[in-house]
Amino acid sequence: MLNIIFFASIVCFFISAVLQTVGTIFKKDGVAKAAWLATAGSALVLTVYLVWRGIAAGRLPLANQFEFATAFAWGVAVMTLLLHWRMNLDWLGTFSVPAVFLMLSYSALLPRDITELMPALKSAWFGLHIASAVISYASFAVASFTGLRYLMSLRGGAKETDISVKKLDYLMYRMIALGFLFLTIVILSGCIWAEQAWSAFWSWDPKETWALITWIIYAIYLHLRVNKKMAGKKMAVYALVSMICVIFTFVGVNQLLPGLHSYR
């Protein structure tokens, strides 16, 4: 039954992605409303899956690559819906919903067996550490979508002085600041957890190293944005390119650089 719900969520997000794209291209209000209702319904199906899986596993469903990838997709979907309802960001679904579909499709390729937690994962820090990573990555993803939207607006004839474009720049900054905050929590909680599990706060494990690299990259963005007052096109490109590091930390490290964090 769990597998049926999981694949149903993929189908739902595929339908939502199609509706979001059609609504944006043809600018049909009816289709746009249907797209957001479909997105909300898809997120609900995925929420049911994660809750059910957590109950079946007797723990938070965040213990391996499949579960984290699924939670990552859920985080992007929920954040998209919250931003849409709070700020009426109709354009956001066109970028984020297809991305959620792709993330879930990637998840579908991974082993979905429910397994016992590894001894190192049985800690009070488990929920805070992994949940913070979900929020952080989702925030960075939305920031990259915003950066892409910013660049497309300029290409479509908008100017950097336009209010709508400035709002995109500020939203991008806010999402990166949020992601940076939670990534800091990820690293700090991970250090404490590592000391308890492996008797060392830091071991230069590939996942730790790339998390630090990602943190530095976004710290540079915030430094340039706050202290150097940089904004506009260059920062949008920076936010978009920085997401490559997040994706590598999320997927590439596990596949190419096995280490203490290689939980498949």
Side-chain angles (χ1 to χ4, degrees):
M1 188 62 184
L2 274 175
N3 283 336
I4 293 175
I5 298 175
F6 173 71
F7 284 104
S9 72
I10 295 179
V11 173
C12 288
F13 274 109
F14 174 75
I15 295 172
S16 300
V18 172
L19 290 173
Q20 291 281 0
T21 303
V22 171
T24 299
I25 293 175
F26 296 100
K27 302 186 184 302
K28 298 291 185 179
D29 291 339
V31 177
K33 290 179 180 179
W36 283 107
L37 287 174
T39 301
S42 302
L44 179 60
V45 173
L46 189 56
T47 301
V48 170
Y49 172 77
L50 288 171
V51 171
W52 195 333
R53 185 179 178 93
I55 293 172
R59 54 168 172 75
L60 290 174
L62 300 169
N64 53 46
Q65 185 75 347
F66 166 77
E67 292 178 346
F68 184 83
T70 304
F72 181 14
W74 176 85
V76 173
V78 170
M79 193 169 288
T80 296
L81 289 167
L82 290 175
L83 287 171
H84 171 67
W85 289 330
R86 182 73 181 271
M87 304 175 66
N88 196 31
L89 301 178
D90 289 333
W91 58 267
L92 184 55
T94 309
F95 299 96
S96 62
V97 177
V100 170
F101 168 71
L102 291 175
M103 280 187 278
L104 289 175
S105 298
Y106 163 71
S107 298
L109 301 175
L110 301 171
R112 297 185 299 278
D113 298 335
I114 295 177
T115 57
E116 289 290 327
L117 282 175
M118 296 179 63
L121 293 180
K122 294 180 179 179
S123 168
W125 294 101
F126 171 64
L128 176 64
H129 182 72
I130 308 299
S132 295
V134 169
I135 298 173
S136 175
Y137 285 14
S139 299
F140 290 144
V142 172
S144 70
F145 302 148
T146 307
L148 181 58
R149 172 67 176 182
Y150 186 100
L151 295 172
M152 291 177 66
S153 296
L154 294 183
R155 191 174 181 82
K159 298 180 180 178
E160 292 189 355
T161 54
D162 292 348
I163 293 178
S164 60
V165 176
K166 285 186 175 181
K167 286 182 177 180
L168 289 173
D169 179 74
Y170 187 58
L171 174 62
M172 182 171 56
Y173 160 62
R174 289 166 65 190
M175 296 311 301
I176 287 179
L178 179 64
F180 182 80
L181 170 63
F182 277 94
L183 183 57
T184 302
I185 295 173
V186 170
I187 293 175
L188 292 178
S189 61
C191 287
I192 299 171
W193 188 4
E195 198 281 330
Q196 293 178 351
W198 301 309
S199 301
F201 287 104
W202 195 269
S203 59
W204 295 104
D205 175 76
K207 199 78 165 183
E208 294 174 351
T209 302
W210 277 94
L212 179 60
I213 291 172
T214 303
W215 186 90
I216 292 172
I217 287 173
Y218 283 104
I220 292 172
Y221 172 94
L222 293 174
H223 170 73
L224 294 174
R225 183 69 167 74
V226 175
N227 295 325
K228 300 297 183 181
K229 307 300 181 183
M230 290 184 64
K233 184 177 180 180
K234 290 182 179 179
M235 300 306 281
V237 172
Y238 192 108
L240 193 57
V241 174
S242 297
M243 191 61 198
I244 296 174
C245 187
V246 175
I247 294 172
F248 184 79
T249 304
F250 165 51
V251 179
V253 171
N254 270 37
Q255 301 298 326
L256 302 175
L257 303 171
L260 294 171
H261 289 77
S262 299
Y263 305 128
R264 305 299 178 89

